[in-house]
Amino acid sequence: MTSAAQATPASDYTELPHLLRHGALLGIIQAVLVALFSVVSRGLDGPLEIGLEAIILIGGIGAMITLPGLWTKARTIEGIAGAAAIGLFSTAIFMAFDVAIFQPIQLYTNRWLEIGGGSNWWYHPVWWMVGTYLTWMGAWILANQTAKNGQPSVPALVGGTVVVAAIIMAAAALLHFPGAAFGVGTFAVAVLPALALLVAVTGWGARTA
C-alpha cells in the first residue's frame, strides 16, 4: 500500500501549497514589523527611535533574505525561483493587511501621503518588486553558499548584507549622492545593491544549475 504522505524534497521544495503557505506566513511577519516600525516612529524621537527602527529594519530584511530560501531549500534555479514566488505572494498578503487595517486606522504618518501626491497606493508596486527582489537575491546567495560549502550560512548572509550595505551607505553619503545620508532610509536602499554584490561574490567558483 502506497503511503498518502510524500517525503519532503531534500532540495528545491517548490510545491505550490508549500509556497503559498509560507508566503502567507512571511506576509504576516511583514505586517507585524511594519506596524511596530510605525508605532516607534510615531511615539519616539532621537537616538532611541533610530536605534529601534534600525533593529526592526534589519530584522525584517533578515527575514526576507533568509527564510524563503531556507523554506524552499534552494539549491538550483528551481528553489531560487520558488523563494522569489514566496516573496511576491507575501507582499500580496501584506497588501491585504494594509488595505483592510493599516490604512483605515491611519497607521502611517502624513509623509506617505505627501510622497505619493495624496495617495497611499503608490508604494504597493514598489513593495511587490522589493519583496520579490530581496527573497530572490537571498535565496541565490544561500544556494551559492551551499554549492561551495555544503550548507547555507544565515549569519554570513545577514552579516554580510549589513556590512556591505553600511559601506555603500557611507560612500553615498560622503560622496553627496542625491538624497543620501547616514540614516535608516539610505541604509535600506543600500541593501539592494549590497545583495547584488554578494550574489556575485558568493557565486565566484560556485555552480548552481
Side-chain angles (χ1 to χ4, degrees):
M1 183 175 65
T2 303
S3 173
Q6 297 183 357
T8 301
S11 64
D12 298 321
Y13 187 10
T14 58
E15 294 181 4
L16 185 58
H18 177 73
L19 300 182
L20 295 178
R21 182 168 60 252
H22 287 88
L25 175 58
L26 188 60
I28 294 171
I29 293 172
Q30 290 175 19
V32 170
L33 292 175
V34 167
L36 288 174
F37 192 97
S38 182
V39 169
V40 168
S41 66
R42 281 178 174 272
L44 299 174
D45 289 305
L48 180 58
E49 176 194 359
I50 295 173
L52 288 177
E53 287 178 347
I55 292 172
I56 295 169
L57 176 65
I58 292 173
I61 291 171
M64 292 293 289
I65 65 177
T66 61
L67 292 178
L70 295 175
W71 286 332
T72 63
K73 303 177 184 178
R75 300 294 183 271
T76 69
I77 193 64
E78 174 76 15
I80 296 169
I86 288 176
L88 178 59
F89 187 62
S90 73
T91 62
I93 296 299
F94 169 80
M95 186 177 67
F97 278 93
D98 187 53
V99 173
I101 301 174
F102 294 164
Q103 290 191 30
I105 67 173
Q106 298 181 336
L107 180 69
Y108 310 119
T109 65
N110 191 53
R111 181 184 307 168
W112 294 98
L113 284 173
E114 293 173 351
I115 295 175
S119 171
N120 261 333
W121 299 96
W122 64 271
Y123 57 86
H124 284 149
V126 176
W127 196 268
W128 302 335
M129 291 184 285
V130 172
T132 305
Y133 176 84
L134 292 176
T135 52
W136 172 37
M137 293 288 104
W140 198 341
I141 295 167
L142 291 173
N144 286 342
Q145 292 174 339
T146 303
K148 294 173 71 173
N149 305 316
Q151 62 182 4
S153 174
V154 169
L157 172 52
V158 176
T161 301
V162 170
V163 170
V164 176
I167 293 172
I168 294 173
M169 173 188 68
L174 292 173
L175 293 172
H176 304 291
F177 191 86
F182 288 96
V184 174
T186 301
F187 175 82
V189 174
V191 166
L192 305 180
L195 286 171
L197 288 173
L198 287 173
V199 166
V201 171
T202 59
W204 189 267
R207 296 185 62 184
T208 55

